[in-house]
Amino acid sequence: MSKNIIEELKWRGLTKQITSEERILEAEKEHSGVYCGFDPTADSLHVGHLIPITLLKRFQDFGFNPIALIGGGTGMIGDPSFKSQERVLQTNEQVKENSDAITKQLKGIIPGVDFANNYEWLGKLSLLDFLRDVGKEYTLGYLLAKESIATRIETGLSVTEFMYTILQGYDFYQLYVNKNCHIQVGGSDQWGNITSGTDLIGSKVGRDKTKAAGLTINLLTKKDGKKFGKTESGAVWLDANKTSVYEFYQFWFNQDDEDAYRMLKFFTFLTEDEINILQKQAIGDPKARIMQHKLAEEMTAFVHGKDGLQQALNITNGFFQGSLKDLSDKEIEVAFKAIPNGEITENETLIDVLVASKAASSKREAREFLNAGAITINDEVLKDENLAITKAFALDNKHVIIKRGKRKFFGAEFK
């Protein structure tokens, strides 16, 4: 283990900007609070949030008190940082529901984390009090110099979003005063908002007395420059009802070697030596996908626990190594939702089932697959296009899983 949190973050390649290493190391000695904000824009977090989530856990491992700040107040406005246009405002009810959902989610992932919701203070703050106590601490020139604001001036920025960075600065001040929180962390796009907080605290408590510091981490992009966490089917959610444990596991497993190595450093809690050993093993046996296996296992267990990981492994083995018949009814249901599928009625012909399940785009294509011996149901290669598909083919009397070739799976569900 590294000597301190700064060393730990640097060897992992996580650090982007730091206001004061000295203050962060002092906060480590004092076991002070460290916080990261999560705006409730949806009822689940996604894999893009895992860097700040794992960051809070890393600080916790070095003796800090981790605080997850839910943006119940700022979520009603929206962060303008590097967005191309104004956010659509959510209703109070949406923000409350989303806040409750991601709070529950975070509690399950990081035990022992402290929680706060900025609606607690922002919701009570009158406009006059805000202008007197907070607004007067910021000059217009200071705000216009913020990159997150400057990039939106020409395309349009409402006063509502313009005030966001001040509100976030006030959040840091509230946590500093009431929760002994000296450090704020976030992605590199949050640098302007973080320094709004450290500067406000300096103004309030004195530049020579403040212990506030901020740190940003590199935003992870894949080696091809594409945004991390986005797939053809959309975001990869941390909620198993939105992204199944099998799909979650496969997301990590399907990274290439270069990205897998970087992600092992960015996301897991493996040591530098352990990661380097995995890399050497992967170079010696590239087909074994050693780094990908470990990455998928570590991240699935971190988010979904040991039971979630075991379910993902069972489904993966059922698809690619063992038999789908060995899966439990629950695992069959999870597997079915993770693949293209459609509804059928009993005794439909095999060729119609292939089209309904999206295993083939047309009957002509279906015949090509059948003639090539590429269609398998329950480990049996089928070629008769007129074969009646009954519930006897279903794994659980309801779901039929069709294998096309070696690695393509499709599902048909009896109505």
Side-chain angles (χ1 to χ4, degrees):
M1 188 173 182
S2 303
K3 293 180 181 178
N4 57 60
I5 186 64
I6 298 293
E7 288 185 0
E8 178 72 9
L9 299 180
K10 283 186 174 180
W11 81 256
R12 291 184 180 276
L14 286 168
T15 55
K16 176 72 173 179
Q17 298 154 302
I18 303 175
T19 62
S20 171
E21 289 190 15
E22 183 181 354
R23 288 178 187 170
I24 292 176
L25 295 177
E26 187 63 30
E28 181 179 321
K29 293 177 183 177
E30 297 178 1
H31 305 294
S32 303
V34 56
Y35 95 93
C36 184
F38 299 89
D39 268 352
T41 53
D43 60 0
S44 171
L45 301 173
H46 52 73
V47 293
H49 291 107
L50 277 175
I51 295 183
I53 291 172
T54 53
L55 192 63
L56 285 180
K57 179 66 170 63
R58 295 189 204 286
F59 273 86
Q60 184 182 45
D61 291 344
F62 278 86
F64 288 81
N65 173 40
I67 302 168
L69 178 66
I70 308 301
T74 48
M76 294 182 181
I77 295 174
D79 185 356
S81 297
F82 308 103
K83 304 296 188 298
S84 60
Q85 59 187 8
E86 193 88 3
R87 284 180 184 267
V88 176
L89 297 181
Q90 299 185 95
T91 65
N92 291 2
E93 291 74 19
Q94 285 176 315
V95 172
K96 175 69 166 58
E97 290 176 4
N98 291 347
S99 296
D100 291 344
I102 64 176
T103 296
K104 181 179 179 182
Q105 196 170 60
L106 285 167
K107 284 182 177 179
I109 297 173
I110 322 177
V113 68
D114 196 1
F115 282 87
N117 189 316
N118 61 18
Y119 187 77
E120 296 172 15
W121 50 83
L122 295 180
K124 300 173 184 176
L125 194 62
S126 74
L127 177 60
L128 291 177
D129 287 339
F130 174 73
L131 292 174
R132 282 176 55 87
D133 298 338
V134 186
K136 67 181 179 63
E137 302 291 348
Y138 293 93
T139 67
L140 191 59
Y142 174 87
L143 295 173
L144 290 174
K146 296 283 184 184
E147 187 180 1
S148 58
I149 292 175
T151 54
R152 282 281 302 280
I153 291 296
E154 291 185 5
T155 59
L157 180 69
S158 70
V159 172
T160 302
E161 288 197 352
F162 180 73
M163 300 297 288
Y164 183 94
T165 191
I166 301 178
L167 294 177
Q168 186 163 321
Y170 187 63
D171 288 344
F172 196 176
Y173 173 71
Q174 284 289 323
L175 294 175
Y176 184 92
V177 172
N178 297 310
K179 284 187 172 286
N180 192 42
C181 180
H182 296 167
I183 311 298
Q184 182 185 359
V185 297
S188 57
D189 60 338
Q190 292 298 308
W191 179 249
N193 294 330
I194 290 174
T195 53
S196 288
T198 55
D199 290 342
L200 176 62
I201 294 169
S203 297
K204 290 285 191 181
V205 305
R207 303 290 180 189
D208 58 337
K209 295 180 181 178
T210 180
K211 296 182 178 181
L215 177 148
T216 64
I217 50 180
N218 289 302
L219 295 178
L220 181 62
T221 56
K222 300 186 60 122
K223 71 173 186 179
D224 58 9
K226 292 182 180 178
K227 189 172 182 180
F228 168 76
K230 294 291 184 180
T231 66
E232 291 182 2
S233 57
V236 180
W237 299 98
L238 305 191
D239 184 342
N241 293 316
K242 288 176 173 285
T243 298
S244 71
V245 291
Y246 166 75
E247 292 171 293
F248 188 83
Y249 179 94
Q250 289 297 316
F251 167 77
W252 300 99
F253 181 74
N254 288 324
Q255 304 300 325
D256 66 23
D257 284 351
E258 187 176 331
D259 284 331
Y261 174 69
R262 293 171 62 229
M263 290 178 191
L264 282 168
K265 294 198 297 181
F266 266 60
F267 292 102
T268 76
F269 295 88
L270 299 174
T271 66
E272 188 172 10
D273 288 342
E274 288 172 330
I275 293 172
N276 288 338
I277 289 172
L278 288 171
Q279 186 186 37
K280 288 179 181 178
Q281 292 174 337
I283 292 172
D285 188 4
K287 292 184 179 180
R289 299 182 67 78
I290 293 168
M291 290 191 293
Q292 288 87 344
H293 275 289
K294 190 63 174 177
L295 175 65
E297 289 176 6
E298 290 289 318
M299 297 317 300
T300 306
F302 180 70
V303 173
H304 296 293
K306 291 182 179 179
D307 290 344
L309 171 60
Q310 190 58 57
Q311 185 182 86
L313 290 173
N314 290 345
I315 296 171
T316 299
N317 290 335
F319 273 140
F320 302 112
Q321 295 177 19
S323 172
L324 292 167
K325 294 178 182 179
D326 297 331
L327 299 180
S328 68
D329 287 353
K330 174 63 176 176
E331 289 167 346
I332 291 169
E333 188 174 341
V334 172
F336 185 84
K337 291 178 180 178
I339 57 180
N341 61 74
E343 289 188 337
I344 60 172
T345 55
E346 194 161 17
N347 291 314
E348 281 193 46
T349 62
L350 175 58
I351 194 168
D352 288 329
V353 170
L354 292 180
V355 175
S357 66
K358 304 178 182 65
S361 60
S362 66
K363 288 187 176 182
R364 179 190 61 77
E365 187 178 52
R367 289 189 181 95
E368 291 177 359
F369 290 140
L370 290 168
N371 292 334
I375 300 299
T376 304
I377 297 179
N378 297 338
D379 300 324
E380 181 182 355
V381 176
L382 302 179
K383 291 190 174 184
D384 181 2
E385 67 178 69
N386 295 312
L387 177 68
I389 301 301
T390 67
K391 289 185 177 179
F393 286 91
L395 295 169
D396 56 355
N397 205 42
K398 185 177 181 181
H399 297 103
V400 177
I401 295 182
I402 301 157
K403 184 178 181 181
R404 192 187 78 198
K406 293 183 178 181
R407 300 187 66 84
K408 297 287 186 179
F409 292 88
F410 303 86
E413 181 178 18
F414 287 105
K415 296 179 182 178

